[in-house]
Each structure stands twice: as structure tokens, then as C-alpha cells.
Amino acid sequence: MKGEHNRVKSWHDAPTKPRFVPPRGAVDAHCHVFGPMAHFPFSAKAKYLPQDAGPEDLFALRDHLGFARNVIVQASCHGTDNRATLDAIARSEGRARGVAVVDPDISGAELAALHEQGVRGIRFNFLKRLVDDTPKDGLLDVASRLPADWHVVVYFEADILADLRPFLAAIPVPLVIDHMGRPDVAQGPDGPDMRAFRSLLDSRGDIWFKASCPDRLDPAGAPWHDFVRSVAPLVADYPDRALWGTDWPHPNMQAAIPDDGALVDVIPYIAPTEALIRRLLVDNPMRLYWPELVGR
Ligand code: 0GY
């Protein structure tokens, strides 16, 4: 394992305070924790080796940005060892839930234990630069054995969406698509990538998406005009299926680290009414991750 000086840092030390004020109860529905490595070592198969980005830093950012809750998605650098994610959830005083990465042969008892610890979904990652291989057979089996009301988060790039469609159609629980399947937003809202993604959303009523990561999808940089022009129509047309997240600590973004305050300031451009903002940041993520609190 390399030393700390070789481990990459991909997040901003002092993000600006956003001008946009999120509504009460807002959920950052896509973020991660890294380590701390001394307690939770990275996977031997990790494709990047980050500096520690633990729960204290995550929760300080949550408060700084004006959010109330986090959904912590197991990052690929921790493989299927979910302890760092579970530790962060346990430290959140009920204000975080999580998405795990599991071996397909995980037992029902182990899944139930993850549920007890705040996990509400599992993630299938098809990015070759992040994982060696993602054989699909076992995945359908584990997806069919998930606890009630869980979902599957899927991360893929636009160029494999057509090939993935039969597999996605066979997953027997709701789907959440990370970063909208990484469309080329420079194509605009009616370009082939967005059209293909809309076709996926139209194929099932239970596919959600994260309207997230302008920094990954729009290399022109802040204020991410192409992202806004491509994503705002999607949020408007599928208002009950959109989620939003910071993606902190921005794995692999060390060459172009986004300012989290600037990311939050994109929200009113992709969700320009109070009603849309409330669905994007509160109602939708609460239905998926804290359904027992909805309507109370
Ligand atoms: C993201 C995106 C990336 C990384 C991971 O699990 C991960 O390592 O998700 C990426 O490099 O595109 O959503 O955090």
C-alpha cells in the first residue's frame, strides 16, 4: 500500500457558501466516504487510492451547504467491504442512509444486517476504469433477494446503455441511475444520449436518476451551461424521479476539483421552481431512503 503522500485528494478544502439555500430537510443523495484507512483499509483491487475523507468532514460539509441528510454510496475503492460506509451511517445520528456494494452470494441474514445498519440499496458499477469486471448473472440473483423496499443503483456510461437495456429490464426492484448514465451534455437536451436515457426512463415507471455531477459531465466548467440546458428539461419532465447529490469527495476528480458551493448553486437552474426543488431535494430522496418518515 502506498504512503499517505501518494494518496490523492479530490475535494475542496474551503468550498464557498452557496447563495442558494436548500429547503429544510434537504438530502444530499450521492456522496461517499474514504476510510479512514487506518480503520477501514482500501480494497486490494482499488483503482485509485484516496486520502482519508471521513464522516466528520462529510457532516461538516452537509451543514456548511445547508443540507440535513446524506445518502452515502459505497465507493469502489472500498470494494465489497462496507465498513467505512456503515461506520459513517452509524455516526450520523440517523441523518445518513447508505447504498452498499456486495458479493452476489451474500446471504439473506447479511442483507438483513445491512438493512439494520441503514442500507437501502446495492450498487452495480459498470465503469471499467473503476472495477475489473461486473458479471451480470449473480447480480440478478442478488437483486431478487433484497430486503423489501430496497433498490439497485446502477453506474454506467452512455455508450453501453443500449447493451445494458435487457439486463436493466430484468432487475426486479426499482433502479436509480447514477449521473443519468453519463450523457454527453454538449449534445443538448434532444441529443442522442439524452434521447436514449429518456427512452430508458419511459420503459419503466420505477427508474430514478441522479441529476448530478455537472463537474464530471460538462468539462467546460462552472457554471456548467451545457449540463443545465440538458438536465433541466429532464427534471421538469420526470419531477418525481429526480435526485441530487454533491458526489463529495469527488473520486478521481483531482485534476478539476469542483467547489461544492458552486455545485449547490446549480440546483435552482435545473429545478427552477420551489415545487421542483422540494421534490428533487426532499420528497423524492425521502421516499426512497426514509419512507417511514414520509407524511409524518
Ligand atoms: C462517483 C463516480 C466515480 C467513482 C465512484 O465508486 C466510485 O469509485 O463512484 C467516478 O470515478 O466516476 O459517482 O463517485
Side-chain angles (χ1 to χ4, degrees), residues 26-29 31-33 55 58-59 62 68-73 84-99 114-120 285-286 289-290 292-293:
V27 181
D28 174 353
C31 51
H32 315 277
V33 286
L58 175 63
F59 301 148
R62 174 198 68 198
R69 298 171 193 271
N70 297 107
V71 177
I72 303 174
V73 177
T85 297
L86 297 175
D87 171 72
I89 296 170
R91 290 172 190 273
S92 75
E93 301 180 336
R95 295 170 68 183
R97 288 219 156 134
V99 173
L114 289 175
H115 186 90
E116 281 305 302
Q117 293 172 90
V119 172
R120 294 295 180 268
M286 290 301 284
Y289 291 98
W290 282 272
E292 74 279 13
L293 300 182

Side-chain angles (χ1 to χ4, degrees), residues 19 37 47 51 60 66 94-95 123 169 175 180 185-186 189 196 211 256 267:
R19 291 183 301 278
M37 190 172 103
K47 301 290 184 250
Q51 291 185 18
R95 295 170 68 183
R123 189 185 201 203
L175 304 179
M180 300 160 290
V185 293
I267 293 170

Side-chain angles (χ1 to χ4, degrees), residues 30 32 34 48 73-77 123 125 127 129-130 155 178-179 182 213 216 247 250-253:
H30 186 90
H32 315 277
F34 298 151
Y48 58 94
V73 177
Q74 168 81 351
S76 63
C77 57
R123 189 185 201 203
N125 187 337
L127 262 69
R129 68 179 164 77
L130 294 175
Y155 191 22
D178 278 345
H179 321 325
R182 298 187 60 115
C213 281
R216 291 187 191 279
D247 188 39
H250 312 291
N252 299 304
M253 292 298 289

